[in-house]
Amino acid sequence: MSPSKQTKSLFSPKFIADCHLGKLAKYLRLMGYDTLFFSHIGDNELIKLANTEHRTILTRDRRLSERKNAPVFLLEPTDTHTQLKTLIDRFELTGHAASFPRCIICNIPLEAIEKEKIIHRLPQKVKKNFNYFEHCPSCDRIYWHGDHYRNMVAFLEDVLKDNG
């Protein structure tokens, strides 16, 4: 592990995004931040997990944010762009979308994989136009830097640019 990756993993904030913040969780993962997301989880379970794993709960739920038995950050903005800007300011988040990729579905760090090992799973257009791939060792999802990736990176660059 490179020193910058090691430093980031040791000192980076870890989050749990509540059920209202799934899109935000994906962007935090794309930035390289360890971010859990559950579409259904009780507040008490969320708090227990946050305390056990030293995570900050990100929520839009005012009642949850008022509980004092776990680190909770209330996000008042409703749009993802402003939510990310708020978190970048509050937690001094740095990095770039391509720096420390995580699976946007299950949060596990991605691993490079040879095209030949997955070519049978790729759409024809992807086989023809891409040579670099990553996969999630947990859910086995395959990633390449196509339009969806580029659009997400452009969105993040816009947010980061707005934060100077």
Side-chain angles (χ1 to χ4, degrees):
M1 183 180 298
S2 73
S4 62
K5 283 188 180 186
Q6 186 176 20
T7 301
K8 183 165 185 158
S9 65
L10 290 176
F11 301 109
S12 292
K14 297 189 305 184
F15 303 106
I16 303 175
D18 79 359
C19 63
H20 306 287
L21 299 172
K23 188 173 180 180
L24 177 66
K26 286 182 179 183
Y27 279 103
L28 288 169
R29 290 170 177 172
L30 193 65
M31 289 176 70
Y33 291 97
D34 184 345
T35 306
L36 299 180
F37 171 76
F38 303 96
S39 56
H40 302 290
I41 188 170
D43 288 356
N44 290 337
E45 290 176 80
L46 201 61
I47 289 167
K48 182 178 179 182
L49 186 60
N51 286 326
T52 301
E53 297 189 7
H54 308 288
R55 294 178 181 274
T56 299
I57 299 170
L58 306 175
T59 186
R60 297 218 1 91
D61 181 341
R62 188 166 301 282
R63 285 191 342 178
L64 176 58
S65 74
E66 292 170 350
R67 295 184 62 173
K68 303 295 183 207
N69 49 351
V72 180
F73 185 74
L74 177 67
L75 274 164
E76 296 196 14
T78 56
D79 67 289
T80 307
H81 189 277
T82 308
Q83 289 170 345
L84 275 170
K85 284 175 59 171
T86 301
L87 292 177
I88 289 167
D89 289 343
R90 170 62 177 83
F91 293 97
E92 299 178 358
L93 303 182
T94 59
H96 186 274
S99 299
F100 306 94
R102 291 181 164 272
C103 178
I104 61 173
I105 304 304
C106 64
N107 194 42
I108 301 297
L110 299 177
E111 298 175 352
I113 190 166
E114 295 173 19
K115 183 177 185 177
E116 294 74 31
K117 290 183 179 180
I118 54 164
I119 198 159
H120 63 282
R121 296 176 52 195
L122 301 174
Q124 197 61 36
K125 188 175 179 181
V126 173
K127 288 179 191 179
K128 179 181 172 186
N129 295 313
F130 296 93
N131 291 312
Y132 179 76
F133 299 90
E134 294 172 305
H135 87 290
C136 175
S138 178
C139 71
D140 204 32
R141 186 178 181 98
I142 299 169
Y143 292 89
W144 59 90
H145 295 179
D147 289 341
H148 181 66
Y149 173 85
R150 286 190 296 268
N151 290 337
M152 291 180 78
V153 169
F155 177 84
L156 277 176
E157 286 175 346
D158 187 52
V159 171
L160 293 168
K161 173 187 62 139
D162 288 349
N163 274 50

